Amino acid sequence: MKLRIGTRRSTLSMVQAELVMSALKSVQPGITVEIVEMSTMGDRKQGTPAASRGEKRDWIHELELAVTDGSVDLAVHSGKDVPALFDSQTELLPLLKRASAFDVFIGKRDEESGIRIPFNAVPEEGLIGCASLRRRAQLLRLRPDLKFR
């Protein structure tokens, strides 16, 4: 049996697809799995003014088309980036056990010591680089003074 997994070319997508491939091979010895790298509208919009007007759908539409037209047998994408509405001919299925959901804070380096500052050392009205609405909400709950870019 041969399966084709469609996924975006990003490092994260490729790692996730490889994890799914390994899991499939472990439960179905002898299976052949091919990863088909794809580009989505979200990929093509990155770095352009259109990126700010993007939707989650931009990241999966081409993956859905590939599944429905038979170009791939399944597609792998982060569940957090899948919109609430997706193609009725496809199904959202979790394949892997969920890994740790903890986020990481990476503070800037202290100029004198060279050590990264911890979250609790961010100054009042400090600026945080974050595009995730979920993470912004979580941080604002802890620190309503923070600013985001």
Side-chain angles (χ1 to χ4, degrees), residues 68-86:
T68 58
D69 74 13
S71 301
V72 298
D73 300 298
L74 63 130
V76 172
H77 192 70
S78 293
K80 67 180 180 60
D81 292 329
V82 175
L85 299 174
F86 48 89

Side-chain angles (χ1 to χ4, degrees), residues 6 57 60 63-68 72-79 82-95:
R57 181 145 192 75
I60 68 159
L63 298 174
E64 289 176 317
L65 289 175
V67 169
T68 58
V72 298
D73 300 298
L74 63 130
V76 172
H77 192 70
S78 293
V82 175
L85 299 174
F86 48 89
D87 191 298
S88 63
Q89 296 179 66
T90 62
E91 196 172 352
L92 183 63
L93 299 170
L95 292 176

Side-chain angles (χ1 to χ4, degrees), residues 2-18:
K2 179 178 180 177
L3 284 177
R4 295 160 298 161
I5 300 174
T7 194
R8 293 179 46 247
R9 292 184 175 107
S10 74
T11 302
L12 176 60
S13 296
M14 292 300 295
V15 168
Q16 290 171 330
E18 288 169 7

Side-chain angles (χ1 to χ4, degrees), residues 3-148:
L3 284 177
R4 295 160 298 161
I5 300 174
T7 194
R8 293 179 46 247
R9 292 184 175 107
S10 74
T11 302
L12 176 60
S13 296
M14 292 300 295
V15 168
Q16 290 171 330
E18 288 169 7
L19 288 170
V20 170
M21 178 174 66
S22 294
L24 289 169
K25 286 182 174 183
S26 73
V27 297
Q28 185 72 42
I31 191 172
T32 302
V33 182
E34 173 190 358
I35 295 177
V36 179
E37 297 178 32
M38 301 175 65
S39 176
T40 66
M41 180 62 72
D43 295 310
R44 292 187 294 277
K45 283 184 178 179
Q46 277 187 320
T48 71
S52 65
R53 296 181 306 274
E55 298 180 21
K56 285 190 174 195
R57 181 145 192 75
D58 291 344
W59 299 99
I60 68 159
H61 182 67
E62 286 83 353
L63 298 174
E64 289 176 317
L65 289 175
V67 169
T68 58
D69 74 13
S71 301
V72 298
D73 300 298
L74 63 130
V76 172
H77 192 70
S78 293
K80 67 180 180 60
D81 292 329
V82 175
L85 299 174
F86 48 89
D87 191 298
S88 63
Q89 296 179 66
T90 62
E91 196 172 352
L92 183 63
L93 299 170
L95 292 176
L96 302 174
K97 183 178 175 187
R98 182 170 172 110
S100 170
F102 290 110
D103 290 323
V104 176
F105 172 80
I106 302 172
K108 72 176 186 177
R109 291 191 187 277
D110 178 75
E111 291 180 18
E112 292 179 21
S113 69
I115 296 172
R116 293 196 182 274
I117 65 166
F119 178 71
N120 62 3
V122 173
E124 180 126 354
E125 297 189 0
L127 181 64
I128 305 289
C130 178
S132 165
L133 293 176
R134 175 185 59 84
R135 288 186 194 102
R136 287 182 187 196
Q138 290 170 331
L139 292 172
L140 283 171
R141 188 170 181 169
L142 294 171
R143 293 271 311 272
D145 63 293
L146 293 174
K147 307 293 180 212
F148 294 90

